[in-house]
Amino acid sequence: MNDSSLKHTLGIFGLSFAILIGLSALPIGELTNNVAKDFNLFEDLFPKENNSDSRQVTEIEPDAELLALLSEHEQAAPAEETVAPVEEVTDVVAEPYSDGPEIVDGIVCIENYSGQPLLSKFKQALGAAQGPVNIAVIGDSFIEGDIFCQDLRELLQSRLGGCGVGHLCMHTDFPGFRKSVSQADDGWTVRDVRSMGSKDSLRQLSGDYALAAATATATFKGTSYGNGTSAWDNSSFTYIAPASGTITLTNDNETAIFEVVADSEPATISLSGYTSKFRVESNVPGLKALGASLDGNSGVQLDCMSIRGNSGISHARLNKELIQNLRKNRDYSLIIIEFGTNALSAEQTEYSPYRLGMQKVVAKIKECYPAADIVIMGVADRGVKEGTEVKSMPNCTAMVKAQRELARNSGVLFWDTREAMGGNGAVAEWRKRKLVNADYIHLNHAGGKELASLMFNAFTKALDE
């Protein structure tokens, strides 16, 4: 090969290599809403752990209200149990307090501290249902992206009927990460309990809402993840309009334009008809979107409401009047509370201040949703690395104890997530089975599916009693 040919070949190789490096740097998934996947020239040398579960979940400072609670407790330490009285249930308790759950045929049972038959309100709603019976799961990044919830929803809908994925925020930071719905949006700014001002009154159960720019859009499409995710019966949008304008809704069957007038009260507009797509377009500047909903006509619906970094404490300031308005269109018969991960730390060994704060939260939720059974979901097993060995964080035990006491003192139900996973040391085993991420905290989609099956078994046993 002469010098000219060699230079030509090397030039082509260099140009091709440069193009491949450029493609590796492009966020192809983000640019195409994950229709096309990211390209990584060096993926075989430096593989990602699980591309389908990719999201950046980093340590986040505890939310401001949790920090304020802990600071207040430190200043009043001698009178811990006398500060800020909370609702205590001392008359009828279905089960005495114990250090662990009842386990029957390998199933970690739901503990009942309500003084009523287990899941009585939820069962009553199922028996009297004229439409879907609604379930809410509120929590933090542990359930972000519908992890765990998407599989619990599918299992419950397989048994009790229903379709669709329920409530959705108008904006997602991780398009394509959630498998149960495909979402693309533009023009929305999310406000949640971590960023809301103290005077912000739009505190609904989800803990967030979205502000629209001059124009804003959101499109939701069904997926093939589960039996109930490809299509649904009813599509709705709930908002508060500070000005006049129009909102356009589109599904597979029609497009409808709704004239909007300024009103401080929430309003819901909807399109009925079986569909695999729902699009919302707003030209109302400053429109406050409380969420979209993709629902079935019957069976059950499960709404996943997660806020990264949330300890749950801020939910003590839910807006009861707002929620009473929202309940006209969407009430809940079962609310599962998944918090605690962001209040857990290696330094803290006693969680009664957090328990007292969460008792106020549960009391407020009971006040806002009197027809709902409430289940406290204990924290999952969390790992720490000691040399090359992964062990459970010792303080998980103290948090679970505090959460069980929270359920007992509040007169609600409790499910011991950590025990269901296998108890002390479970996180190491789940990590070996590639069910949790490298932070030894967060589930991946496979881990969510596993945990959902364990909770579904507990619900099945309770429903059959």
Side-chain angles (χ1 to χ4, degrees):
M1 180 181 292
N2 58 38
D3 290 344
S4 177
S5 297
L6 178 60
K7 289 180 180 178
H8 181 69
T9 301
L10 290 174
I12 293 174
F13 176 80
L15 178 62
S16 300
F17 188 71
I19 290 172
L20 291 174
I21 290 177
L23 288 173
S24 297
L26 279 175
I28 297 173
E30 181 178 344
L31 292 173
T32 63
N33 194 32
N34 285 276
V35 172
K37 299 300 181 184
D38 290 341
F39 172 77
N40 183 359
L41 177 64
F42 306 104
E43 185 167 7
D44 289 336
L45 293 176
F46 308 103
K48 291 182 180 179
E49 181 173 332
N50 188 337
N51 288 333
S52 66
D53 288 325
S54 60
R55 57 171 172 162
Q56 294 180 347
V57 182
T58 56
E59 287 294 321
I60 296 176
E61 280 294 310
D63 61 64
E65 295 199 36
L66 174 61
L67 291 174
L69 174 74
L70 296 178
S71 175
E72 178 185 347
H73 171 72
E74 288 177 1
Q75 295 173 15
E80 173 208 340
E81 292 294 336
T82 64
V83 299
V86 295
E87 177 183 355
E88 299 280 351
V89 175
T90 57
D91 49 349
V92 179
V93 176
E95 296 180 18
Y97 176 81
S98 64
D99 291 330
E102 180 183 9
I103 301 176
V104 178
D105 297 328
I107 298 172
V108 172
C109 299
I110 298 172
E111 300 168 44
N112 182 9
Y113 300 109
S114 70
Q116 303 296 324
L118 184 60
L119 292 178
S120 58
K121 295 178 180 178
F122 183 57
K123 290 178 181 179
Q124 181 180 0
L126 290 173
Q130 300 296 314
V133 174
N134 296 309
I135 303 167
V137 184
I138 60 173
D140 50 36
S141 60
F142 190 76
I143 59 171
E144 186 175 36
D146 214 19
I147 280 182
F148 166 75
C149 293
Q150 61 195 0
D151 298 291
L152 182 60
R153 180 188 302 113
E154 181 176 16
L155 290 167
L156 288 170
Q157 288 181 343
S158 295
R159 171 172 172 147
L160 302 170
C163 61
V165 298
H167 171 89
L168 292 160
C169 183
M170 305 308 291
H171 170 73
T172 173
D173 288 332
F174 302 98
F177 173 67
R178 180 170 177 166
K179 294 186 175 183
S180 56
V181 69
S182 175
Q183 179 174 349
D185 56 75
D186 183 61
W188 303 99
T189 301
V190 175
R191 297 280 186 268
D192 64 43
V193 292
R194 292 180 58 87
S195 59
M196 287 180 188
S198 59
K199 295 182 180 179
D200 196 328
S201 63
L202 290 185
R203 294 175 179 263
Q204 59 173 338
L205 188 63
S206 67
D208 60 14
Y209 65 93
L211 283 173
T215 60
T217 63
T219 302
F220 308 97
K221 295 181 180 179
T223 72
S224 59
Y225 180 79
N227 294 328
T229 62
S230 60
W232 53 92
D233 299 312
N234 294 293
S235 311
S236 61
F237 174 59
T238 301
Y239 63 90
I240 296 175
S244 299
T246 62
I247 300 173
T248 302
L249 303 184
T250 303
N251 65 10
D252 287 340
N253 310 302
E254 64 175 311
T255 295
I257 300 175
F258 296 82
E259 296 290 337
V260 172
V261 296
D263 195 338
S264 60
E265 297 297 321
T268 298
I269 53 179
S270 61
L271 293 179
S272 60
Y274 197 63
T275 183
S276 62
K277 181 181 71 175
F278 181 50
R279 180 174 174 84
V280 179
E281 301 172 74
S282 166
N283 71 356
V284 183
L287 185 80
K288 299 172 182 178
L290 301 180
S293 297
L294 317 179
D295 300 319
N297 284 329
S298 59
V300 295
Q301 188 52 267
L302 187 147
D303 297 346
C304 178
M305 300 171 171
S306 66
I307 297 176
R308 179 181 293 203
N310 188 14
S311 70
I313 293 296
S314 297
H315 277 64
R317 296 198 289 127
L318 293 177
N319 186 331
K320 182 180 178 181
E321 183 178 354
L322 171 67
I323 288 173
Q324 284 177 331
N325 276 323
L326 297 176
R327 285 179 55 209
K328 297 172 185 176
N329 290 300
R330 196 174 201 83
D331 203 354
Y332 292 104
S333 300
L334 176 63
I335 298 174
I336 300 171
I337 301 176
E338 180 279 310
F339 288 119
T341 298
N342 294 289
L344 190 64
S345 70
E347 295 77 23
Q348 193 169 352
T349 59
E350 210 281 324
Y351 291 96
S352 60
Y354 179 67
R355 170 179 63 80
L356 288 168
M358 287 301 295
Q359 283 178 214
K360 296 179 184 179
V361 171
V362 175
K364 175 60 73 171
I365 292 175
K366 290 173 74 174
E367 181 184 356
C368 292
Y369 291 97
D373 281 315
I374 296 174
V375 180
I376 304 297
M377 188 173 170
V379 292
D381 194 34
R382 176 170 175 172
V384 291
K385 205 164 187 179
E386 297 181 4
T388 59
E389 188 177 1
V390 178
K391 296 183 178 181
S392 294
M393 180 184 286
N395 298 352
C396 287
T397 301
M399 175 59 81
V400 173
K401 179 177 183 291
Q403 290 177 314
R404 180 175 276 112
E405 290 176 348
L406 161 65
R408 187 177 188 274
N409 292 346
S410 301
V412 297
L413 314 179
F414 179 75
W415 189 64
D416 194 333
T417 308
R418 187 171 186 245
E419 188 64 33
M421 291 176 67
N424 188 47
V427 68
E429 179 63 26
W430 279 54
R431 175 64 181 161
K432 288 178 184 177
R433 296 170 58 198
K434 298 181 179 180
L435 301 177
V436 298
N437 293 332
D439 60 4
Y440 309 109
I441 301 172
H442 294 91
L443 302 170
N444 55 32
H445 286 283
K449 188 179 185 72
E450 179 84 2
L451 187 62
S453 178
L454 295 171
M455 178 174 258
F456 176 72
N457 290 340
F459 271 114
T460 297
K461 184 179 183 305
L463 291 171
D464 289 342
E465 287 182 358

